[in-house]
Structure formats: C-alpha cells, structure tokens
Amino acid sequence: MGLKKYLFTISKNMKKIYSFLFFLCHLSFGQAIIYSENFGNPSTSPSTISGYTFQNSSPISYSGSADIRNSTPSTGYPNSSGNGCVFIGATTANPVKQLLISGIDTQNYDGLTLSLGHYKGTNAGNNELTIEVGDGITWSTLTYTRPTGTGTSTWLNITPTGVIPSISNLNIRITNPLNSNVGFRIDDIKLTGNLLSSKNFGNISGLKVFPVPAKNILNVTSDSFATKNVEVYNMLGAKVLTGEVVNGTVNISSLTRGIYVIKITEEGKTATRELVVE
C-alpha cells in the first residue's frame, strides 16, 4: 500500500471514530442494553431461585418462589436462547409464585423499554401475569396482551407498555396472582434505554484517564478524592463494564482489543473519554 493511500485510510477511520464520539458525547448512545438475563442452562431442573447462579451478579439480585427449569425451552421468537427459563406456576394459596429482580441502575437512561420471552400454559391465557417496576416500595404495573385461542399456548416475545423509572435501584417484579389457573414461563429478559447526555459532561476538575492505549489496567484520577462511578460502552452503545474507584485503577482485562467510550460520574458531574484497549 502506498504512503498516500495508507494516510488516507487512517484519516478516514479517524474521521469515523471522532464522528462517533461526538455523537455519543453530545447526543446519546441510542438504545443501549442496560440489563439482560437468559437464565443459562440449569443442570438440575427445577432449581430454586435462591440456589441458582444467574448471568448477573451483585449488585443485581434475584429472589422469589418461582423456579428455574430446562423443560419447554424458549423458541420461536428472534434470538430466543432456549435452555433455562423461569417457571411461574399457578397457585390457589399464598405465597404466590413470583420472580423479583433488584439492583438494576437505570438513573442515567431514559426511554426505558422492557422485553421478555413469554409462554402461557393454556390457549385461554392472556395477560394474567403481573409485571411491575419500581424502587421496591412504590410499584407501577406494566401492561401487555397476547392472542388467545387454538394454538396460542406458545412462546412469544412481548414488550409491556408503561413508565419505567430512571433510578439507581430498579426492581422488576413478575407475579402469577392467586387463582389465575395458568402457568407461565419467562426467558430472555432485556431492558434497554437511551444513555442521557448531560450539561455537566466534562466538568470533573482535573480528570485524568490513562494510559492511552490501555491494557488490563486503567487509571482514573481527579482533583477530588470522591468516589467515581465508571461505565464502559462498546461501539454499539452496550455497557460492557462497570465499577467504582476513588483515585485508582480499574481492571479492564475482560475487554477485547478495540475502541470504547468510558463514562465517569463523580458527585453528580459526568465526563466521557475515548478508551483504546490494545
């Protein structure tokens, strides 16, 4: 390759990169995946929620009286994962069957959308399964409907409608109420949203993120010794790493080579930087 062509290629790629970063910093990331869970592939079926290892770990937690099963795996909708799913059976006595997911941080997002794979045990079943969101104290109900009649006892991807709050500890509660007479299964829960832009972007005094490029360890420091929340996003806008640091290092060894955007929040102020991992 000639020198002129080589320099042109570099210039063209850098233009794409800087255009992308400008878009991220001044508008938003578009629909980013904030949380997803496909419930893996349980070796024991059924498995209790309390004894099961989920894809997500602390600060996200799982509880409830539903169970994890590998029977009737999800199928028939785009990107259905199969294998494990949550069975939320019918009951006529307390406690009701339920799955509770806690600890999802949505405070830096708007336009939040929840979707999940949904299976009903009878053709007559419809929207008996209650899907709620809230802070664990105050709840709002999301609504959905699906077809009834012959051949509708199948897996279907649903997107419940309603307001999902932007808070630091979002809870999702999915309940099969008393006397519903329908068993349900759920899988492939996904929460997406738009990463908010901010008038305070770039206002962290003395912020330094180094080295550039980085490998395994990234240093994040500022003039303040306040705790910094660190989030790393790939070029598709998906969050791939989170952590907290005062003035210290962040372990980025799980990231593959490429270009990312790092978002740092300190005392209500937010800044973004390009992160190149080698």
Side-chain angles (χ1 to χ4, degrees):
M1 179 185 293
L3 178 61
K4 185 176 180 179
K5 186 174 182 181
Y6 175 73
L7 292 175
F8 174 77
T9 301
I10 292 177
S11 175
K12 185 177 180 182
N13 289 337
M14 290 305 296
K15 185 180 291 185
K16 289 181 179 179
I17 292 168
Y18 285 122
S19 295
F20 174 74
L21 291 172
F22 181 87
F23 173 75
L24 293 182
C25 293
H26 292 82
L27 296 176
S28 72
F29 285 103
Q31 283 285 310
I33 299 174
I34 304 165
Y35 165 85
S36 66
E37 176 70 59
N38 69 20
F39 304 106
N41 187 11
S43 57
T44 301
S45 179
S47 294
T48 63
I49 290 176
S50 61
Y52 193 68
T53 301
F54 294 86
Q55 288 179 298
N56 295 274
S57 55
S58 180
I60 295 174
S61 62
Y62 301 81
S63 59
S65 54
D67 54 62
I68 314 298
R69 303 190 179 189
N70 55 26
S71 55
T72 317
S74 60
T75 185
Y77 56 84
N79 301 313
S80 53
S81 60
N83 298 317
C85 62
V86 178
F87 178 66
I88 308 179
T91 182
T92 58
N94 278 313
V96 294
K97 299 298 182 181
Q98 183 181 90
L99 170 67
L100 176 63
I101 305 168
S102 306
I104 305 173
D105 186 355
T106 60
Q107 62 184 330
N108 294 317
Y109 301 86
D110 65 4
L112 296 164
T113 301
L114 178 69
S115 64
L116 63 150
H118 180 283
Y119 179 90
K120 56 175 184 167
T122 70
N123 288 328
N126 183 11
N127 56 7
E128 294 89 346
L129 198 63
T130 302
I131 302 175
E132 300 168 288
V133 292
D135 60 5
I137 300 173
T138 302
W139 298 91
S140 60
T141 302
L142 305 182
T143 60
Y144 73 95
T145 186
R146 56 172 297 170
T148 60
T150 303
T152 61
S153 177
T154 60
W155 279 101
L156 187 70
N157 187 260
I158 63 170
T159 303
T161 59
V163 177
I164 302 175
S166 299
I167 54 178
S168 61
N169 178 27
L170 179 72
N171 288 244
I172 301 173
R173 185 167 67 182
I174 305 175
T175 307
N176 194 346
L178 293 177
N179 304 310
S180 73
N181 296 319
V182 186
F184 293 94
R185 297 173 189 267
I186 60 171
D187 199 1
D188 300 316
I189 299 178
K190 183 167 68 174
L191 183 67
T192 62
N194 300 313
L195 180 63
L196 296 171
S197 60
S198 171
K199 64 182 180 180
N200 289 324
F201 272 21
N203 289 338
I204 298 177
S205 177
L207 178 65
K208 294 180 182 179
V209 181
F210 61 95
V212 179
K215 182 178 182 180
N216 296 327
I217 295 297
L218 185 71
N219 296 281
V220 181
T221 64
S222 71
D223 292 342
S224 168
F225 278 83
T227 299
K228 302 165 183 60
N229 179 260
V230 176
E231 299 175 344
V232 179
Y233 296 82
N234 64 19
M235 295 292 280
L236 298 176
K239 183 161 56 177
V240 294
L241 184 68
T242 62
E244 285 189 348
V245 64
V246 179
N247 273 359
T249 61
V250 178
N251 187 339
I252 59 170
S253 60
S254 62
L255 301 180
T256 57
R257 293 182 61 185
I259 298 172
Y260 300 83
V261 171
I262 182 171
K263 175 172 173 281
I264 302 140
T265 303
E266 176 192 88
E267 297 182 319
K269 298 178 180 179
T270 301
T272 60
R273 295 288 187 272
E274 175 187 353
L275 170 62
V276 180
V277 177
E278 65 177 7

mmCIF file of all heavy atoms in Angstrom, residues 64-80:
data_model
loop_
_atom_site.group_PDB
_atom_site.id
_atom_site.type_symbol
_atom_site.label_atom_id
_atom_site.label_comp_id
_atom_site.label_asym_id
_atom_site.label_seq_id
_atom_site.Cartn_x
_atom_site.Cartn_y
_atom_site.Cartn_z
ATOM 1 N N GLY A 64 -37.592 -14.898 45.150
ATOM 2 C CA GLY A 64 -38.957 -15.281 44.795
ATOM 3 C C GLY A 64 -39.184 -16.774 44.887
ATOM 4 O O GLY A 64 -38.255 -17.565 45.048
ATOM 5 N N SER A 65 -40.450 -17.165 44.757
ATOM 6 C CA SER A 65 -40.851 -18.566 44.916
ATOM 7 C C SER A 65 -41.015 -19.307 43.594
ATOM 8 O O SER A 65 -41.414 -20.473 43.583
ATOM 9 C CB SER A 65 -42.178 -18.626 45.694
ATOM 10 O OG SER A 65 -43.161 -17.817 45.052
ATOM 11 N N ALA A 66 -40.745 -18.633 42.465
ATOM 12 C CA ALA A 66 -40.730 -19.324 41.171
ATOM 13 C C ALA A 66 -39.500 -20.236 41.122
ATOM 14 O O ALA A 66 -38.694 -20.270 42.059
ATOM 15 C CB ALA A 66 -40.707 -18.306 40.042
ATOM 16 N N ASP A 67 -39.326 -21.001 40.049
ATOM 17 C CA ASP A 67 -38.139 -21.843 39.940
ATOM 18 C C ASP A 67 -37.609 -21.847 38.510
ATOM 19 O O ASP A 67 -38.281 -21.416 37.580
ATOM 20 C CB ASP A 67 -38.416 -23.265 40.431
ATOM 21 C CG ASP A 67 -39.595 -23.910 39.743
ATOM 22 O OD1 ASP A 67 -39.543 -24.091 38.508
ATOM 23 O OD2 ASP A 67 -40.582 -24.247 40.441
ATOM 24 N N ILE A 68 -36.383 -22.324 38.380
ATOM 25 C CA ILE A 68 -35.699 -22.365 37.088
ATOM 26 C C ILE A 68 -35.796 -23.775 36.532
ATOM 27 O O ILE A 68 -35.499 -24.748 37.228
ATOM 28 C CB ILE A 68 -34.217 -21.970 37.224
ATOM 29 C CG1 ILE A 68 -34.058 -20.709 38.089
ATOM 30 C CG2 ILE A 68 -33.592 -21.769 35.851
ATOM 31 C CD1 ILE A 68 -34.727 -19.491 37.533
ATOM 32 N N ARG A 69 -36.211 -23.893 35.262
ATOM 33 C CA ARG A 69 -36.382 -25.203 34.640
ATOM 34 C C ARG A 69 -35.756 -25.226 33.238
ATOM 35 O O ARG A 69 -35.587 -24.187 32.606
ATOM 36 C CB ARG A 69 -37.862 -25.564 34.551
ATOM 37 C CG ARG A 69 -38.564 -25.561 35.910
ATOM 38 C CD ARG A 69 -39.945 -26.146 35.861
ATOM 39 N NE ARG A 69 -40.577 -26.139 37.172
ATOM 40 C CZ ARG A 69 -41.716 -26.745 37.465
ATOM 41 N NH1 ARG A 69 -42.379 -27.413 36.522
ATOM 42 N NH2 ARG A 69 -42.221 -26.686 38.686
ATOM 43 N N ASN A 70 -35.437 -26.458 32.786
ATOM 44 C CA ASN A 70 -34.956 -26.610 31.410
ATOM 45 C C ASN A 70 -35.994 -27.274 30.515
ATOM 46 O O ASN A 70 -35.725 -27.559 29.355
ATOM 47 C CB ASN A 70 -33.630 -27.387 31.365
ATOM 48 C CG ASN A 70 -33.728 -28.739 32.046
ATOM 49 O OD1 ASN A 70 -34.808 -29.326 32.140
ATOM 50 N ND2 ASN A 70 -32.588 -29.249 32.528
ATOM 51 N N SER A 71 -37.199 -27.496 31.046
ATOM 52 C CA SER A 71 -38.280 -28.046 30.226
ATOM 53 C C SER A 71 -38.981 -26.909 29.482
ATOM 54 O O SER A 71 -38.979 -25.764 29.934
ATOM 55 C CB SER A 71 -39.282 -28.789 31.110
ATOM 56 O OG SER A 71 -39.775 -27.949 32.142
ATOM 57 N N THR A 72 -39.587 -27.227 28.348
ATOM 58 C CA THR A 72 -40.264 -26.247 27.498
ATOM 59 C C THR A 72 -39.379 -25.024 27.267
ATOM 60 O O THR A 72 -39.729 -23.890 27.606
ATOM 61 C CB THR A 72 -41.622 -25.806 28.103
ATOM 62 O OG1 THR A 72 -42.327 -26.944 28.602
ATOM 63 C CG2 THR A 72 -42.488 -25.122 27.056
ATOM 64 N N PRO A 73 -38.181 -25.216 26.696
ATOM 65 C CA PRO A 73 -37.276 -24.083 26.484
ATOM 66 C C PRO A 73 -37.844 -23.086 25.477
ATOM 67 O O PRO A 73 -38.651 -23.437 24.615
ATOM 68 C CB PRO A 73 -36.001 -24.746 25.956
ATOM 69 C CG PRO A 73 -36.473 -26.015 25.338
ATOM 70 C CD PRO A 73 -37.629 -26.473 26.179
ATOM 71 N N SER A 74 -37.418 -21.847 25.597
ATOM 72 C CA SER A 74 -37.918 -20.787 24.719
ATOM 73 C C SER A 74 -37.521 -21.033 23.268
ATOM 74 O O SER A 74 -36.421 -21.496 22.967
ATOM 75 C CB SER A 74 -37.374 -19.431 25.171
ATOM 76 O OG SER A 74 -35.960 -19.407 25.125
ATOM 77 N N THR A 75 -38.441 -20.714 22.365
ATOM 78 C CA THR A 75 -38.208 -20.893 20.936
ATOM 79 C C THR A 75 -39.240 -20.079 20.167
ATOM 80 O O THR A 75 -40.257 -19.649 20.731
ATOM 81 C CB THR A 75 -38.330 -22.390 20.542
ATOM 82 O OG1 THR A 75 -37.991 -22.549 19.161
ATOM 83 C CG2 THR A 75 -39.742 -22.901 20.760
ATOM 84 N N GLY A 76 -38.965 -19.820 18.886
ATOM 85 C CA GLY A 76 -39.982 -19.236 18.024
ATOM 86 C C GLY A 76 -39.969 -17.737 17.895
ATOM 87 O O GLY A 76 -40.693 -17.178 17.076
ATOM 88 N N TYR A 77 -39.162 -17.029 18.708
ATOM 89 C CA TYR A 77 -39.039 -15.574 18.529
ATOM 90 C C TYR A 77 -37.557 -15.244 18.294
ATOM 91 O O TYR A 77 -36.684 -16.035 18.639
ATOM 92 C CB TYR A 77 -39.600 -14.805 19.733
ATOM 93 C CG TYR A 77 -38.991 -15.158 21.077
ATOM 94 C CD1 TYR A 77 -37.808 -14.568 21.521
ATOM 95 C CD2 TYR A 77 -39.616 -16.067 21.924
ATOM 96 C CE1 TYR A 77 -37.267 -14.881 22.744
ATOM 97 C CE2 TYR A 77 -39.080 -16.384 23.162
ATOM 98 C CZ TYR A 77 -37.903 -15.776 23.565
ATOM 99 O OH TYR A 77 -37.359 -16.092 24.792
ATOM 100 N N PRO A 78 -37.251 -14.091 17.706
ATOM 101 C CA PRO A 78 -35.862 -13.766 17.372
ATOM 102 C C PRO A 78 -34.948 -13.822 18.588
ATOM 103 O O PRO A 78 -35.272 -13.289 19.646
ATOM 104 C CB PRO A 78 -35.969 -12.329 16.827
ATOM 105 C CG PRO A 78 -37.357 -12.231 16.293
ATOM 106 C CD PRO A 78 -38.199 -13.063 17.223
ATOM 107 N N ASN A 79 -33.820 -14.513 18.446
ATOM 108 C CA ASN A 79 -32.789 -14.616 19.478
ATOM 109 C C ASN A 79 -33.268 -15.322 20.749
ATOM 110 O O ASN A 79 -32.724 -15.083 21.840
ATOM 111 C CB ASN A 79 -32.242 -13.228 19.834
ATOM 112 C CG ASN A 79 -31.639 -12.529 18.641
ATOM 113 O OD1 ASN A 79 -30.864 -13.107 17.890
ATOM 114 N ND2 ASN A 79 -31.999 -11.263 18.446
ATOM 115 N N SER A 80 -34.276 -16.178 20.617
ATOM 116 C CA SER A 80 -34.680 -16.972 21.780
ATOM 117 C C SER A 80 -33.519 -17.875 22.181
ATOM 118 O O SER A 80 -32.896 -18.520 21.346
ATOM 119 C CB SER A 80 -35.928 -17.793 21.462
ATOM 120 O OG SER A 80 -35.756 -18.565 20.280
#
